[in-house]
Amino acid sequence: TATAVATGSITNVGKTDNTYRIDWGTAKATNYEVKSATLGELEVTKATMSLTVTGHDDVYDGSTYSVKVEGAPAGSTIEYSTDNGETWSDTAPTITDVGEQTVKVRVTNSNYELGEESTTLKVTPAPLAVTTGSADKVYDGTALTKAEASVTGMVNGETATAVATGSITNVGKIDNNYRIDWGTAKSTNYAVTSESLGELEVTKATMDLTVTGHEGVYDGSTYSVKVEGAPTGSTIEYSTDNGETWSDT
């Protein structure tokens, strides 16, 4: 008796003969010779990767984000491309500031089919709310302003200051507009999405006029009406027919 024992073994992708040995039982090996051997083949084919590739899509918060790849088999090479596959790097791209980029990921492993996925890194502006104060006064020839202003919504300890810029001198009403002075923050990482603007209003003042005519005995002189207290820039008109017609003479 003798027994043939298959000894072929293969782990990684490839193909090999299923070799053998003979375990001699009651027979003597020297009395036999293998004249014919039909060897089977052992073949391992590539497996399919089960990849999960995660990007980022959120509002700016000052943090840095990258692509996350899960499911890559041990020993794999992971590469990234941000130019649609023109060039590849084994350094994962990151994003911090507002912007967007498409990232291709490829994972190579000799025992697996090529794994390819795409994802996006995207950061949108953080929303800000700006409030300014209101004020009003009677016209006095000087500018009306209100310095009260605030901005809320800054993140990550970054700083910016809202400065009220509204100014009105003559009678009327305007919004108390503003500008933002950016401190440690980048303006491109923020967007004002809410404004609560105060109003600046100047109302009409009351004139303090003194109008003096003439009353006296004829002396051959010419007299006229004297008007005092008219503000600079005023138009003074006169009527001798109870307001039916007016003249600046």
Side-chain angles (χ1 to χ4, degrees), residues 17-214:
D17 288 336
N18 190 8
T19 55
Y20 66 94
R21 75 173 188 270
I22 296 177
D23 289 345
W24 300 97
T26 61
K28 291 182 180 180
T30 55
N31 290 330
Y32 293 88
E33 180 182 1
V34 175
K35 289 289 189 177
S36 174
T38 302
L39 303 182
E41 285 187 336
L42 302 179
E43 183 177 9
V44 176
T45 57
K46 291 186 176 183
T48 301
M49 295 184 193
S50 180
L51 296 178
T52 301
V53 177
T54 307
H56 177 76
D57 186 352
D58 210 341
V59 174
Y60 173 77
D61 64 3
S63 301
T64 298
Y65 296 92
S66 185
V67 175
K68 184 178 181 181
V69 180
E70 296 176 292
S76 299
T77 298
I78 303 175
E79 296 174 294
Y80 309 86
S81 175
T82 57
D83 55 9
N84 200 34
E86 291 293 319
T87 60
W88 294 87
S89 170
D90 58 6
T91 302
T94 62
I95 191 168
T96 302
D97 295 326
V98 167
E100 181 176 358
Q101 61 180 337
T102 298
V103 181
K104 284 192 170 184
V105 179
R106 73 180 179 189
V107 182
T108 54
N109 187 300
S110 60
N111 290 318
Y112 291 82
E113 298 291 348
L114 179 67
E116 290 186 301
E117 297 287 343
S118 292
T119 191
T120 301
L121 293 175
K122 183 178 180 181
V123 174
T124 54
L128 297 180
V130 176
T131 301
T132 61
S134 297
D136 63 83
K137 72 173 183 177
V138 174
Y139 174 81
D140 63 4
T142 63
L144 172 64
T145 61
K146 182 69 172 180
E148 178 185 336
S150 65
V151 57
T152 57
M154 305 302 296
V155 301
N156 198 38
E158 296 175 354
T159 59
T161 305
V163 179
T165 59
S167 178
I168 184 171
T169 300
N170 295 324
V171 169
K173 183 188 293 187
I174 63 169
D175 287 336
N176 190 9
N177 286 319
Y178 65 94
R179 71 172 188 270
I180 295 179
D181 290 343
W182 300 98
T184 60
K186 293 181 181 178
S187 61
T188 51
N189 286 330
Y190 294 87
V192 176
T193 58
S194 174
E195 293 180 331
S196 180
L197 302 184
E199 288 186 334
L200 302 178
E201 183 176 12
V202 176
T203 56
K204 290 184 176 182
T206 301
M207 295 185 190
D208 185 14
L209 296 178
T210 301
V211 179
T212 307
H214 176 75

